[in-house]
Amino acid sequence: FDPRTGGSDFVEIYNNSDKIINLQNWELANIDNDSISNLKTISYVPLVMFPKDYLVFTKDTYNIKIEYPLGKPENYFQMSTLPNYNVDSSTVILVTNDSVAADAFSYNDKMHFALLKDFSGVSLERIDFNRSASDATNWHSAAESAGWATPGYQNSQYNPSEGDGSNVSVEPEIFSPDNDGVNDVVNIHYKFDAPGFTATVIIYDAKGRQIRTLAKSALLGIEGIFSWDGISDSREKARIGIYLIWFEAFDLSGRVLHFKKTCVLAGRLN
């Protein structure tokens, strides 16, 4: 959404189903005055998307080829125009030919990895397709090693987590938030036997100092994930070391559950 000077925006979608989807008369849109607006038709002719396929929509496929030489141009599709996706924040909406919002993503520039010096040309990537697009912790800046974007193929930050079957589990236990595309985030997976839990998730350092609040009184589903990118509430990188993950959940019946998990933030020693 923030291309380099002279560059073009792009929106990538992924078919996370086992169905073949025809995108004819589907649309991209944004939000204006709290309503879906500025709808732009993707294709007026049949455009078939097979299961697990990626497609990139842009108004300048040649520019995307030049900007991201590691991309897959065979999965690029040029539209005559895109909705306006602002540099600071906006909402991307994918609308079916039945006028149903298939998915939506509200982004802002603060969702980028805080230690990057420049966000221009850097794609925000979804970590896990089975997690909601509205979960801000499910997004991360593309890795530098991948050229800052992976148009047309698997995200450099793709990192699905299945958990270990317990109520709360952490994966990986050692992570290194240096934006190289390898274990850049730690995933905190939760799974309960019933819906209706509300949770607060806080990260503390080894001295007991509060570093990051990942969730505060968040209504949970039966199963889900929070991710931490090693950045503190003050938008600074946390120090190398051991961190305590405090996970508190309660429901309306008065049941309160407490979990303490640890993870290790690793990095290079200069």
Side-chain angles (χ1 to χ4, degrees):
F1 58 87
D2 182 9
R4 300 181 185 96
T5 302
S8 180
D9 288 0
F10 74 83
V11 174
E12 180 184 70
I13 68 171
Y14 173 73
N15 183 357
N16 194 33
S17 76
D18 57 1
K19 299 177 181 179
I20 297 174
I21 300 174
N22 181 7
L23 297 176
Q24 182 179 11
N25 294 324
W26 284 46
E27 297 166 303
L28 287 177
N30 59 19
I31 292 288
D32 189 16
N33 294 323
D34 298 323
S35 299
I36 297 177
S37 302
N38 304 310
L39 290 94
K40 307 296 182 183
T41 300
I42 291 172
S43 176
Y44 292 100
V45 298
L47 178 61
V48 174
M49 193 176 190
F50 289 92
K52 314 309 175 187
D53 267 358
Y54 295 80
L55 275 178
V56 172
F57 302 119
T58 178
K59 62 181 181 181
D60 191 344
T61 56
Y62 178 76
N63 173 264
I64 303 303
K65 293 178 187 178
I66 299 300
E67 291 287 325
Y68 306 104
L70 299 180
K72 291 192 174 181
E74 62 269 26
N75 293 330
Y76 299 173
F77 187 84
Q78 185 155 314
M79 295 173 56
S80 58
T81 185
L82 291 178
N84 184 32
Y85 296 125
N86 297 331
V87 169
D88 54 350
S89 64
S90 187
T91 299
V92 183
I93 304 176
L94 179 65
V95 181
T96 72
N97 57 353
D98 295 323
S99 300
V100 175
D103 208 353
F105 170 45
S106 295
Y107 67 83
N108 64 73
D109 56 4
K110 289 184 174 57
M111 295 174 70
H112 272 300
F113 187 56
L115 300 186
L116 294 182
K117 295 180 180 179
D118 185 6
F119 302 148
S120 297
V122 182
S123 176
L124 272 179
E125 295 185 334
R126 194 165 174 171
I127 295 172
D128 188 345
F129 298 122
N130 292 318
R131 293 168 59 186
S132 172
S134 63
D135 177 2
T137 74
N138 193 26
W139 296 85
H140 197 284
S141 302
E144 181 178 5
S145 59
W148 302 116
T150 59
Y153 66 104
Q154 181 174 292
N155 292 340
S156 62
Q157 300 292 1
Y158 179 65
N159 187 21
S161 176
E162 299 296 332
D164 62 7
S166 58
N167 287 129
V168 176
S169 57
V170 173
E171 180 192 27
E173 293 182 351
I174 301 175
F175 75 114
S176 54
D178 51 13
N179 212 57
D180 65 352
V182 180
N183 295 336
D184 280 331
V185 300
V186 59
N187 292 316
I188 303 152
H189 190 281
Y190 64 85
K191 186 175 183 180
F192 299 115
D193 56 5
F197 277 96
T198 298
T200 294
V201 184
I202 300 175
I203 310 292
Y204 294 91
D205 68 10
K207 294 184 177 180
R209 294 172 296 196
Q210 184 171 324
I211 301 299
R212 178 74 178 269
T213 300
L214 288 180
K216 188 173 183 179
S217 300
L219 180 62
L220 305 182
I222 291 180
E223 184 174 2
I225 300 172
F226 294 103
S227 298
W228 182 42
D229 59 2
I231 299 300
S232 69
D233 284 331
S234 59
R235 301 284 290 172
E236 297 177 346
K237 185 177 180 179
R239 294 182 177 181
I240 293 172
I242 299 173
Y243 288 84
L244 172 71
I245 302 167
W246 170 258
F247 194 115
E248 180 184 65
F250 65 91
D251 62 13
L252 294 180
S253 68
R255 186 164 49 151
V256 180
L257 304 175
H258 295 116
F259 304 93
K260 292 180 181 179
K261 299 290 180 178
T262 59
C263 65
V264 175
L265 192 158
R268 296 183 179 90
L269 296 175
N270 296 324

